[in-house]
Amino acid sequence: MKLKLPEELQFITNNMLPHKSTTERMDGKVCVITGTTSGIGYEAARQFAKGGADLVMVCRNKDKAEPIRQKLTDEFGTSVDLFIADFQRLDEVRRVAEEISVKYPKIHGLVNNAGVFNKRRRLTPDGNEMTMGVIHLASFLLTKRLIENMKNGAPSRILYISSEAHRFGGFNLKDMDWHKRPYIGLFAYGAAKIAQIHTAMVLAEQLEASGVMVNLMHPGAVRTNIGMNNGLFYRLYSRYVLRWFLKDASKSGEAIYYLAADPSLNGVTGKFFNQTIEEKPAWYSVKEKMRQQVWDRTEELVRPYLKEGL
Ligand SMILES: NC(=O)c1ccc[n+]([C@@H]2O[C@H](COP(=O)([O-])OP(=O)(O)OC[C@H]3O[C@@H](n4cnc5c(N)ncnc54)[C@H](OP(=O)(O)O)[C@@H]3O)[C@@H](O)[C@H]2O)c1
């Protein structure tokens, strides 16, 4: 007899199912991807370049990113542009969004991928808890400032690289920066992903009639550099233990490209995918009453960077 798990636990079996890919091309389509210097973002960038998209990479480290830009250009002969911004600094996110929006009036794809995992509580120069700052606040601000360009490019797609780790919970609207509770890295990571799910759902509703689709995806549990900033012990654990349980990140790149390009997803918005399979996120990340509150609080936190001329 085949085991049928309750809807909220189906992520366990979804991880094991075969995933979809597409041969659809994206020639002439402008696609912005954040964090392409390693792991999932790099693999996704390869897929977009292979599919003929005009790729716009947003990275923080020019020395790491420039050789990748050159390599993808040489290998696939497509246009690959590079913008530099550290997502710990919202003023840099705002600046880079301005630069991109001027250079690319029409954008067809935006993949919010850049992310970080910290074992200990760390703050950004702006004073935000770093995981929340890089994963949630930066992607929220970048997306908001590129919305008009996405509308100009419609039908277009925004994709958030989320995580099944949102199921760890940890989100507290009154303590988004973890100054009231003992910090637990996995919960802080889960909290940032939950905040992102809430606001992505609001955005999907706001953009329903605009031709801009908004979805989230878990890219699989894959071998990347995530967490490598957490000291020698974590690095050794990740390199020599964790890696045996993880898959190759190229699968995540294919899944992201599928969700960004495949025609079967035309008009699909406000959904969460486990790689390419639609599934239900944890109930506390899609509470209808909560999502507008998270949106409002997030907007409050990034408000200084939403105003012109600041
Ligand atoms: N690996 C997994 O199994 C897994 C599972 C679920 C979800 N995810 C999600 O997948 C996304 C990509 O992570 P990954 O696993 O591929 O990790 P990764 O190899 O560490 O890649 C993270 C990317 O984000 C960039 N980044 C980090 N901090 C940044 C900042 N302050 N400003 C700008 N860019 C920054 C990194 O740039 P640098 O190279 O300069 O550090 C890198 O390009 C993340 O959102 C993560 O939460 C990963």
Side-chain angles (χ1 to χ4, degrees):
M1 199 179 68
K2 217 174 135 195
L3 177 71
K4 178 89 174 150
L5 291 169
E7 227 180 352
E8 286 234 345
L9 291 179
Q10 283 174 14
F11 72 94
I12 299 169
T13 42
N14 286 344
N15 281 327
M16 294 174 242
L17 294 176
H19 286 274
K20 301 165 204 160
S21 59
T22 186
T23 52
E24 184 74 14
R25 291 200 50 89
M26 292 194 87
D27 299 280
K29 302 232 167 118
V30 175
C31 294
V32 179
I33 313 182
T34 67
T36 61
T37 41
S38 76
I40 293 161
Y42 169 72
E43 295 295 343
R46 278 188 68 79
Q47 291 296 321
F48 281 89
K50 188 175 156 198
D54 292 345
L55 182 62
V56 178
M57 311 196 310
V58 186
C59 303
R60 67 170 158 179
N61 184 332
K62 190 164 187 207
D63 293 341
K64 263 166 110 175
E66 179 52 35
I68 290 171
R69 191 197 68 73
Q70 195 58 54
K71 185 170 178 257
L72 294 178
T73 310
D74 295 346
E75 194 174 345
F76 300 108
T78 185
S79 149
V80 185
D81 207 350
L82 172 63
F83 291 83
I84 301 297
D86 185 345
F87 280 17
Q88 288 186 38
R89 304 186 56 114
L90 294 174
D91 58 343
E92 292 201 11
V93 178
R94 175 186 57 190
R95 187 226 347 116
V96 89
E98 286 313 303
E99 290 169 5
I100 295 170
S101 66
V102 168
K103 193 162 175 189
Y104 296 98
K106 285 186 185 181
I107 300 177
H108 307 91
L110 168 60
V111 182
N112 285 306
N113 166 75
V116 65
F117 164 72
N118 286 331
K119 263 176 41 189
R120 296 207 168 74
R121 182 173 181 262
R122 294 174 65 193
L123 298 181
T124 67
D126 298 334
N128 298 302
E129 187 280 315
M130 193 188 289
T131 323
M132 189 61 80
V134 172
I135 291 177
H136 176 54
L137 299 179
S139 68
F140 181 90
L141 178 60
L142 181 72
T143 305
K144 265 221 129 193
R145 294 199 71 124
L146 293 179
I147 285 292
E148 288 310 311
N149 307 59
M150 298 295 303
K151 286 184 184 166
N152 294 339
S156 56
R157 298 184 190 181
I158 298 170
L159 189 62
Y160 291 88
I161 308 309
S162 183
S163 173
E164 294 294 355
H166 79 275
R167 297 180 196 276
F168 291 130
F171 181 74
N172 182 333
L173 189 59
K174 296 201 174 91
D175 189 23
M176 277 173 73
D177 62 3
W178 290 82
H179 72 277
K180 293 184 187 158
R181 297 168 288 165
Y183 188 82
I184 301 171
L186 278 179
F187 290 174
Y189 182 71
K193 296 293 185 184
I194 288 177
Q196 197 175 49
I197 296 174
H198 279 305
T199 53
M201 293 300 175
V202 174
L203 191 63
E205 282 165 12
Q206 287 178 357
L207 295 176
E208 209 154 20
S210 69
V212 184
M213 269 71 81
V214 183
N215 293 300
L216 303 116
M217 68 95 75
H218 165 69
V222 294
R223 279 186 291 277
T224 67
N225 283 340
I226 195 130
M228 292 298 191
N229 51 309
N230 286 295
L232 181 65
F233 180 74
Y234 189 93
R235 281 206 297 282
L236 292 174
Y237 167 70
S238 181
R239 260 194 207 127
Y240 298 107
V241 182
L242 211 51
R243 72 184 310 273
W244 298 107
F245 300 96
L246 302 174
K247 295 188 184 144
D248 192 277
S250 59
K251 286 282 156 219
S252 313
E254 283 172 22
I256 290 169
Y257 186 72
Y258 170 84
L259 295 176
D262 199 66
S264 67
L265 289 145
N266 284 344
V268 174
T269 193
K271 303 290 181 200
F272 185 95
F273 294 84
N274 182 336
Q275 297 154 86
T276 58
I277 295 172
E278 191 189 328
E279 74 181 19
K280 208 171 170 191
W283 63 270
Y284 38 81
S285 64
V286 283
K287 273 198 277 185
E288 292 235 2
K289 256 169 73 183
M290 189 75 179
R291 56 175 74 146
Q292 191 59 45
Q293 290 175 25
V294 180
W295 177 277
D296 292 344
R297 178 67 188 135
T298 305
E299 218 170 36
E300 215 171 276
L301 289 168
V302 306
R303 184 155 298 137
Y305 309 94
L306 289 171
K307 289 185 196 148
E308 294 305 322
L310 280 172

